Amino acid sequence: MTQVVEPRTESRRAARGIDRVHHWIGGGPVAGTSGRHGPVYDPATGRLAREVDFASAEEVDAAVRAAKAAFPAWRATSLAKRSEILFRIRSLVDTHRADIAALLTSEHGKVPSDALGEVARGLENIEFACGIPHLLKGGFSEQASTGVDVYSIRQPLGVAAGITPFNFPAMVPMWMFANAIACGNTFVLKPSEKDPSASVYIAELLKEAGVPDGVFSVVHGDKVAVDRILEHPDIASVSFVGSTPIARYIYETGTSHGKRVQALGGAKNHMVVLPDADIGMAADAAVSAAYGSAGERCMAISVVVAVGGVADPLVEAIRSRLPKVRVGPGSDPTAEMGPLITREHRDKVATYLDSGREQGADLVVDGRDHALFRDSDGFFLGVSLLDRVRPDMDCYRNEIFGPVLEVVRVPTYAEAVTLVNDNPYGNGTAIFTRDGGAARQFQFEANVGMVGVNVPIPVPVAYYSFGGWKSSLFGDTHMYGPEGIQFYTRAKVVTARWPDPGTSKVDLGFPRTR
Ligand code: NAD
């Protein structure tokens, strides 16, 4: 099948912008043989930067074979040794933060400060997994019955797979593989085909850290690779992060093939602003959370719910901040917001500005007025603000995933909560208020997986777990943190006794503990 490429070339290739991103199978780069590939753009210039191999089913099979072969030795590797390797991964990712961030900027378009933030939040997950000896401790009940002890252990599943989105090409894989391999699984990653280089760079770092060949592989591609992962009999679990329609498909197909699946989907995150909130603070938070990473974050604030009399001053405070948001390429050190991922996506985002206006919203700021939208070949769109949005409008009903902030005006707190809870998504939400009782009530009744109180992007730290409710997550466990450990292991309960010889007798009764 495979042509083996000289190791350590992948990152250099990416750094020099040379043509093809290869798979990483069995501990080294492997050139694709399917004859299929896809484009990888530099979103800031609009230029084709390189191409990425698209795996065939046979190439996925090769990665799974390598992962299956590596599993017995890896699961038998002591916790101390696995932990030591994770500490080394931690150190290498830390050392190479800037390199990883540069790859993110070059293929995703996010500005360097944002890219470094992504790496830092990903690193937290590796740090969490360094504590695997503690995390895998089971329970022990001495003398559960006379002379009988009962204890529980958690064991790895086997080959775990991860399928990840374009918007966090380094952090989301780290959400998955750090815990997966720490628990003793081997891992096959299918990253987004839009910005694939970071995953291969990370594979190189893992190898350098001492992760044995086959424990971590990367196959690039599209639906062909994904479908093979979902059907492959030797893959035990699938972790997915992406849009809701695909998440639902992954969950339904993966579980129908007997796999354990966690599939995180899209979002429409509401930030409720009560009349007593500090207007300046709420406006700063809304602007930061709506337009950071050009709104291409699953935890971006896309809807501000302005309660009562706060609406006019809040919209004015947001509007007044927008001319100061610096849009530009990652090469501009003053840029705060970069381009969108592709031209098609940028143009689709812009259609919601027209449909919003046609359906009765006020287009307070139109990102198409930005010079970079008009004059650059990059996939830029300026920040946009739609006021007086209603829930029946297309711009509200869809996840836009771009630099568009919508304001919905409601008269009361109760209507704000109803709006949040009626939305089909339930990833994140936030409330801005000085009233602790109102905030506590909101936390109690919001049907949403992650809630911020005066915090607009409440992404949990790595020792909690990340996940939405409703159409933002299919499956039973949230991702990373303690629920990640649970997902990547299965429980075994042992009941043991060591009776003296000659003390047994035949007893057909159901075993009793008393
Ligand atoms: P996407 O669903 O288009 O793609 C995600 C992954 O699925 C990619 O690896 C892609 O190659 C694969 N894929 C795409 N179409 C497929 C198909 N028809 N069949 C099989 N596989 C397919 O998502 P995206 O555009 O890369 O990422 C943006 C989306 O991800 C947004 O909806 C965002 O909200 C969501 N997201 C959610 C979270 C979360 O934690 N809930 C985090 C980040 C992103």
Side-chain angles (χ1 to χ4, degrees):
M1 143 248 47
T2 46
Q3 173 203 343
V4 175
V5 183
E6 182 201 342
R8 295 290 298 163
T9 54
E10 282 296 292
S11 56
R12 290 187 207 118
R13 175 208 50 71
R16 293 197 308 254
I18 300 169
D19 47 47
R20 195 58 77 84
V21 184
H22 298 305
H23 311 301
W24 182 277
I25 298 174
V30 171
T33 54
S34 71
R36 297 171 60 246
H37 54 83
V40 180
Y41 293 100
D42 174 354
T45 62
R47 278 198 293 271
L48 180 71
R50 55 194 67 97
E51 290 174 330
V52 55
D53 290 332
F54 277 9
S56 61
E58 292 71 32
E59 286 166 308
V60 173
D61 289 354
V64 177
R65 262 198 310 280
K68 190 179 177 189
F71 176 64
W74 181 241
R75 74 160 289 208
T77 301
S78 72
L79 289 174
K81 180 75 187 164
R82 274 190 253 153
S83 174
E84 184 187 10
I85 290 173
L86 279 151
F87 271 104
R88 261 191 254 131
I89 297 173
R90 194 255 162 224
S91 166
L92 282 166
V93 171
D94 181 37
T95 304
H96 294 279
R97 280 171 196 255
D99 299 339
I100 300 171
L103 286 174
L104 304 183
T105 298
S106 70
E107 293 185 353
H108 174 283
K110 58 179 72 179
V111 297
S113 55
D114 193 28
L116 283 165
E118 168 176 351
V119 179
R121 292 307 302 265
L123 194 57
E124 285 180 12
N125 295 275
I126 296 169
E127 289 166 350
F128 176 78
C130 288
I132 196 64
H134 179 71
L135 296 166
L136 279 187
K137 282 198 287 199
F140 192 100
S141 299
E142 186 183 51
Q143 201 72 346
S145 183
T146 308
V148 175
D149 302 327
V150 179
Y151 47 99
S152 65
I153 47 187
R154 296 204 72 91
Q155 297 188 331
L157 308 175
V159 180
I163 301 163
T164 53
F166 80 82
N167 66 324
F168 285 109
M171 181 183 77
V172 169
M174 290 176 190
W175 284 3
M176 301 173 181
F177 78 73
N179 279 343
I181 67 173
C183 290
N185 302 283
T186 54
F187 194 81
V188 176
L189 173 66
K190 205 304 282 175
S192 171
E193 68 282 16
K194 298 193 175 89
D195 42 18
S197 289
S199 61
V200 182
Y201 187 90
I202 290 166
E204 291 183 11
L205 295 183
L206 265 59
K207 185 178 174 82
E208 205 169 321
V211 171
D213 293 351
V215 170
F216 182 79
S217 293
V218 180
V219 286
H220 301 288
D222 57 2
K223 185 169 165 53
V224 172
V226 169
D227 284 346
R228 183 58 187 151
I229 287 171
L230 296 176
E231 291 161 6
H232 200 297
D234 291 331
I235 290 181
S237 73
V238 177
S239 301
F240 173 87
V241 175
S243 60
T244 288
I246 310 297
R248 185 180 282 116
Y249 170 74
I250 299 282
Y251 183 76
E252 289 172 356
T253 313
T255 52
S256 77
H257 284 84
K259 300 182 197 322
R260 185 177 287 198
V261 181
Q262 50 179 188
L264 278 58
K268 192 85 180 176
N269 304 314
H270 296 63
M271 171 173 152
V272 175
V273 183
L274 297 189
D276 70 339
D278 181 290
I279 300 277
M281 195 217 290
D284 286 339
V287 171
S288 309
Y291 305 112
S293 207
E296 291 174 327
R297 289 180 184 144
C298 67
M299 290 292 274
I301 289 296
S302 42
V303 181
V304 161
V305 187
V307 178
V310 83
D312 283 341
L314 180 62
V315 169
E316 177 49 29
I318 292 171
R319 193 203 55 74
S320 71
R321 282 160 171 76
L322 298 192
K324 296 175 209 138
V325 175
R326 287 196 56 101
V327 181
S331 55
D332 173 356
T334 66
E336 298 170 291
M337 188 186 109
L340 282 84
I341 186 71
T342 58
R343 177 170 286 113
E344 295 70 34
H345 181 58
R346 188 268 311 265
D347 293 346
K348 183 168 179 221
V349 168
T351 64
Y352 289 110
L353 303 176
D354 290 331
S355 75
R357 186 168 43 192
E358 284 155 17
Q359 292 168 12
D362 291 347
L363 183 52
V364 180
V365 178
D366 186 338
R368 292 169 294 189
D369 293 336
H370 196 283
L372 283 173
F373 176 83
R374 291 193 313 265
D375 306 333
S376 156
D377 291 330
F379 311 141
F380 291 98
L381 177 65
V383 295
S384 302
L385 180 62
L386 280 163
D387 189 13
R388 298 182 191 279
V389 168
R390 289 189 322 270
D392 59 320
M393 294 177 181
D394 290 337
C395 60
Y396 180 84
R397 289 191 302 107
N398 292 286
E399 180 186 30
I400 297 178
F401 220 55
V404 180
L405 179 61
E406 300 168 303
V407 179
V408 177
R409 296 171 175 234
V410 297
T412 62
Y413 164 83
E415 278 153 287
V417 173
T418 301
L419 187 74
V420 170
N421 287 349
D422 283 352
N423 194 279
Y425 296 107
N427 212 39
T429 189
I431 187 163
F432 276 69
T433 178
R434 309 291 301 162
D435 180 341
R440 188 174 180 282
Q441 184 63 20
F442 184 72
Q443 153 203 315
F444 181 73
E445 60 193 351
N447 279 333
V448 175
M450 295 170 280
V451 176
V453 176
N454 297 314
V455 171
I457 303 189
V459 176
V461 288
Y463 40 98
Y464 285 80
S465 298
F466 181 107
W469 290 7
K470 301 187 278 185
S471 294
S472 294
L473 186 143
F474 303 88
D476 302 317
T477 47
H478 285 191
M479 206 162 272
Y480 71 69
E483 294 199 27
I485 300 295
Q486 196 184 325
F487 181 79
Y488 287 119
T489 54
R490 51 188 169 175
K492 185 178 275 181
V493 181
V494 181
T495 304
R497 65 183 176 132
W498 298 90
D500 291 332
T503 59
S504 64
K505 63 177 169 55
V506 172
D507 180 356
L508 299 191
F510 193 67
R512 276 178 295 181
T513 53
R514 282 170 241 226

